Amino acid sequence: MFPESVEESTESRQPLFQPASSSAVGTRVEVGQPGFSKRTNTGNNVNRTPTRTSFNLQRAKTSLLTPTKSIGPAPSFLQSIKSIVMASWLNLLLVCIPVSWALNFAVKDQHTLVFVFSFLSIIPLAKLLAFATDELSIRVGQTLAGLLNATLGNAVELIVAIIALTQCKLHIVQSSLVGSILSNLLLVLGMCFFAGGLRFSEQGFSAVATQLNSSLLTLSVIAVLLPAAFHMNVTGSTDSDEGQDILKVSHGVALILLFIYASYLFFQLYSHATLYTDDGVPPSIPYPKKKAEGAESQVGGDLEQSKPVEDEETPQMSLYTTIALLVIVTVLVAVTAEWLVDSIDGLTATGAIQEEFVGIILLPIVGNAAEHVTAVTVSVKDKLTLSLGVAVGSSIQIALFVIPFIITLGWILGKPLTLLFDPYESITLFLAVLTVNYCVQDGKSNWLEGMILMCLYVILCVTFWYYPGSDPSGLLNTCT
């Protein structure tokens, strides 16, 4: 009477790792990667039984700290220095660092020159930061590598935001952080999909982890939109102290977002670390090679897809040199970013460029240079899960950690920084998250999806060039 129940009962009594020869006739048992699920095909029915192993701290620690490839011998100090010098042609822009410092002290009133050279100085510093981060990443597991890339990649944005906060440029703080999320979601992720799509017809990634990340981004957008809804529905007659109420709401929501981010880290690094690996991800599909016969073309594509990966990763710097480079670059970024922020007022006072465009577009492009280079590079190497960990993970860090951290820091310093962002910025953030959710929901990507995301970012660039910005709370100009 209940054949399906009988089959499920029979299947539940079978051992997990049952040899194929001992299975019942007409039943095929497939055991996937550890921590995923067992799929049983019986006739036309497909049943999935969760078999995720329980949380184990030692197992999680091993998966985090164990590299995906074996590590070769570390180079000497001189070889490490040579690798730093030859890391990228962008190192030629390092000469802009002393020039920007000299201009800041010699002709400080030439704000445009100071801004341009400081802007150019941070680009190679961000690239060196990405280079050092990559060297650290090859020594750990893929999940922790993505977290390191996202965290250290956000160092520039965090430094710029803190400097702008201490100088009471609260609108620059808000616009640069929103612009960083938009840049990561649309420009960086779009470039990853597009660059990977030029080499592969279709690339797969972990849809479960990506959908979870999308949910976290949606939560962050809600946290930004609710203060705006609060502001729109409250008048002076119903709430005479609206600005202070929004400030208190922002402080409370910021603390909750920090707690959510801490929970997300525990989820990603320990309890469900297997979700953020390439295990169970569908293989990428390369473009078929052009040959005389179609069958040979298909065989050639299959052989290309089945090429073994390299078994050993050769570091370009020693561990101590890598850490020293991270420290030196961070200090240089902090000093140069201060000159950059100082020159913004003089640059926008001429009216040639809007302060909104500087905060939303220009500053995030500089800050995201590290994530941009890293994410696109690994996507071409068919590591799209790691690319998503860098691009989307960086956006989550900005939304759930950097923004609430800056709000809390402003609370400590007595700065009236709130979660009530410019309405137009909030709307563009919502639309960007919505578009990305549609693009990643199937767990696959191609070059057209990357083109869509990049074109949407160009559209936002055009609109923000003319948008003057606003202060709906009226508190940003009260900062002292």
Side-chain angles (χ1 to χ4, degrees), residues 132-451:
T133 305
D134 289 341
E135 288 297 302
L136 277 182
S137 299
I138 65 174
R139 294 173 166 88
V140 296
Q142 179 172 300
T143 302
L144 189 56
L147 180 64
L148 280 174
N149 279 284
T151 303
L152 296 177
N154 286 331
V156 177
E157 291 97 325
L158 184 59
I159 292 172
V160 170
I162 292 176
I163 293 175
L165 177 66
T166 57
Q167 297 183 5
C168 278
K169 297 179 181 179
L170 303 186
H171 188 69
I172 288 293
V173 175
Q174 289 185 333
S175 59
S176 64
L177 294 179
V178 172
S180 180
I181 299 176
L182 295 175
S183 175
N184 279 309
L185 288 181
L186 300 180
L187 182 60
V188 177
L189 189 60
M191 283 291 293
C192 291
F193 286 171
F194 183 79
L198 294 180
R199 183 178 179 186
F200 298 93
S201 174
E202 191 176 83
Q203 287 183 291
F205 50 87
S206 177
V208 177
T210 305
Q211 285 299 321
L212 177 62
N213 292 341
S214 299
S215 300
L216 292 173
L217 286 174
T218 304
L219 173 66
S220 64
V221 171
I222 292 174
V224 171
L225 292 179
L226 285 181
F230 184 100
H231 171 72
M232 292 178 60
N233 289 277
V234 172
T235 61
S237 59
T238 58
D239 190 353
S240 59
D241 201 12
E242 176 202 348
Q244 292 300 318
D245 288 342
I246 291 179
L247 188 59
K248 294 175 183 177
V249 168
S250 300
H251 294 161
V253 173
L255 295 178
I256 296 173
L257 291 178
L258 288 174
F259 173 76
I260 293 174
Y261 182 70
S263 303
Y264 164 69
L265 286 183
F266 182 83
F267 181 90
Q268 181 187 24
L269 299 180
Y270 293 102
S271 66
H272 290 70
T274 52
L275 284 179
Y276 295 86
T277 63
D278 285 331
D279 294 336
V281 175
S284 299
I285 303 176
Y287 289 103
K289 292 184 177 180
K290 294 182 179 180
K291 290 187 177 181
E293 297 181 5
E296 292 180 358
S297 176
Q298 182 64 33
V299 171
D302 294 339
L303 290 175
E304 180 181 350
Q305 183 176 346
S306 61
K307 284 182 180 179
V309 295
E310 297 179 359
D311 294 331
E312 186 176 84
E313 191 86 36
T314 303
Q316 301 184 54
M317 291 189 297
S318 64
L319 180 60
Y320 293 109
T321 307
T322 302
I323 296 175
L325 179 62
L326 283 173
V327 174
I328 294 173
V329 169
T330 302
V331 173
L332 292 176
V333 168
V335 177
T336 309
E338 185 172 358
W339 312 146
L340 182 71
V341 175
D342 285 340
S343 62
I344 290 177
D345 285 342
L347 175 69
T348 58
T350 60
I353 188 172
Q354 299 284 352
E355 184 181 65
E356 189 79 6
F357 186 82
V358 173
I360 288 284
I361 304 300
L362 295 184
L363 293 183
I365 287 179
V366 174
N368 289 334
E371 298 104 296
H372 200 161
V373 174
T374 301
V376 173
T377 301
V378 297
S379 70
V380 174
K381 296 179 180 178
D382 198 19
K383 297 180 180 179
L384 195 58
T385 299
L386 180 57
S387 294
L388 287 168
V390 175
V392 180
S394 180
S395 299
I396 291 176
Q397 278 200 336
I398 293 291
L400 296 182
F401 173 70
V402 177
I403 290 179
F405 173 77
I406 292 296
I407 296 290
T408 306
L409 183 61
W411 185 12
I412 296 173
L413 299 178
K415 310 294 183 181
L417 183 63
T418 70
L419 284 173
L420 180 57
F421 289 79
D422 182 280
Y424 190 73
E425 294 177 4
S426 302
I427 292 174
T428 54
L429 183 60
F430 169 75
L431 295 177
V433 172
L434 183 66
T435 305
V436 171
N437 283 345
Y438 280 124
C439 289
V440 302
Q441 64 182 356
D442 59 348
K444 301 175 184 178
S445 71
N446 51 63
W447 67 266
L448 182 58
E449 290 180 338
M451 180 68 71

Side-chain angles (χ1 to χ4, degrees), residues 42-64:
T42 306
N44 295 325
N45 298 326
V46 178
N47 300 323
R48 289 185 180 271
T49 305
T51 61
R52 182 176 299 281
T53 56
S54 60
F55 167 70
N56 182 277
L57 183 61
Q58 183 62 34
R59 189 189 76 248
K61 180 180 178 181
T62 302
S63 65
L64 288 176

Side-chain angles (χ1 to χ4, degrees), residues 10-90:
T10 303
E11 185 251 335
S12 64
R13 291 195 298 270
Q14 296 173 350
L16 179 61
F17 296 97
Q18 179 183 8
S21 60
S22 63
S23 59
V25 177
T27 303
R28 180 166 58 91
V29 178
E30 295 180 355
V31 180
Q33 297 290 338
F36 286 87
S37 62
K38 174 177 63 177
R39 189 176 76 173
T40 303
N41 291 343
T42 306
N44 295 325
N45 298 326
V46 178
N47 300 323
R48 289 185 180 271
T49 305
T51 61
R52 182 176 299 281
T53 56
S54 60
F55 167 70
N56 182 277
L57 183 61
Q58 183 62 34
R59 189 189 76 248
K61 180 180 178 181
T62 302
S63 65
L64 288 176
L65 301 180
T66 303
T68 55
K69 299 179 182 179
S70 59
I71 306 300
S76 64
F77 177 75
L78 291 180
Q79 291 174 330
S80 301
I81 296 299
K82 182 179 179 181
S83 298
I84 295 174
V85 174
M86 304 298 293
S88 172
W89 61 269
L90 289 175

